[in-house]
Every structure is written in C-alpha cells, then in structure tokens.
C-alpha cells in the first residue's frame, strides 16, 4: 500500500522560512515528484516539480524563494520555502508519480496536505 506522509507545515510571519517534507512508502520508483498548493477560493497550483526527464520547474510566484529537492534513499521530497509571503498561505500537497515495483504501471499518488499560514 502506497502512503505519502507530509510534515513541516505551520504558522509563520512574513519573511520567515519553512521546510515541508513528504515521505513515501510502498514505492520503488518515483520519477516525478511535486508540490501543489490550494488556497481558499483559488485553483490548485503546482508550486514545484522534479521530473526525471525534464528537470526542475517552479511556479513563477515562488521562483527564487522556494527550492524542491529529494532524497531518493529516504524516499523523501522536500520543499524549502524562504521569504514567505501572506499570499503563500495554502494547503500544500505532495504528489508523486511512481511505481510500486519495476515494470508496474506508473500512477499518481497524493498526500493529505499540510497547512501553511503566513501572517503579515
């Protein structure tokens, strides 16, 4: 059974930093990992992604402030968020496209999300 567990959310002041973590269990390969966020009344937005074939990309709104990284051995994806702004307030959700074993179909898996609140 595949499970994604996120941690690291919280409430901070504008300008401060947070690091989110997402640890996967049950996956043998994770070619695509990403962080999304959804704020009240807004569409879900992809914040950052590591694609094994295409590299790393970020939403324009977070370029230069957020950094996505992964530790393959720990099957963990991180999102370092610096210089946080009130508009970064949202539920952040980890997404991994992966396989449970070699040659099995690639499927998308989602975490439950972690709240990030930035006050001015």
């Amino acid at each position: 059974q595949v499970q994604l567990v996120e941690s690291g959310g919280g409430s901070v002041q504008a300008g401060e930093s947070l690091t989110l973590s997402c640890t996967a269990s049950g996956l043998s390969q994770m070619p695509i990992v990403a962080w999304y966020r959804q704020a009240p009344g807004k569409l879900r937005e992809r914040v950052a992604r590591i694609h094994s074939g295409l590299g790393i990309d970020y939403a324009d709104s977070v370029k230069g402030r957020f950094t996505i990284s992964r530790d393959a051995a720990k099957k963990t994806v991180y999102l370092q968020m610096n210089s946080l702004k009130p508009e970064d307030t949202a539920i952040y959700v980890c997404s991994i496209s992966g396989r449970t074993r070699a040659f099995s179909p690639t499927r998308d898996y989602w975490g439950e999300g972690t709240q990030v609140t930035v006050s001015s």
Side-chain angles (χ1 to χ4, degrees):
Q1 183 179 0
V2 176
Q3 190 173 22
L4 306 185
V5 179
E6 298 135 327
S7 62
S11 296
V12 297
Q13 297 288 321
E16 294 183 340
S17 300
L18 280 174
T19 299
L20 306 182
S21 300
C22 172
T23 300
S25 59
L27 289 174
S28 65
Q29 298 175 16
M30 308 190 312
I32 304 172
V33 298
W35 285 96
Y36 288 76
R37 68 185 180 186
Q38 185 157 20
K42 293 187 177 181
L43 296 175
R44 185 173 63 189
E45 173 188 30
R46 191 176 71 208
V47 176
R49 179 183 66 171
I50 300 176
H51 190 294
S52 61
L54 301 177
I56 298 175
D57 57 72
Y58 296 94
D60 288 342
S61 57
V62 306
K63 282 181 181 177
R65 300 188 297 121
F66 290 12
T67 302
I68 187 172
S69 62
R70 61 190 293 173
D71 184 328
K74 295 182 178 179
K75 295 185 180 179
T76 298
V77 185
Y78 304 95
L79 185 67
Q80 173 68 42
M81 305 184 294
N82 297 328
S83 302
L84 283 162
K85 304 175 181 180
E87 51 263 42
D88 294 320
T89 296
I91 296 174
Y92 285 72
V93 183
C94 173
S95 173
I96 297 179
S97 296
R99 304 180 183 89
T100 56
R101 58 188 182 278
F103 306 114
S104 65
T106 298
R107 295 179 178 173
D108 295 334
Y109 301 92
W110 296 83
E112 294 190 352
T114 184
Q115 178 70 45
V116 172
T117 302
V118 185
S119 56
S120 57

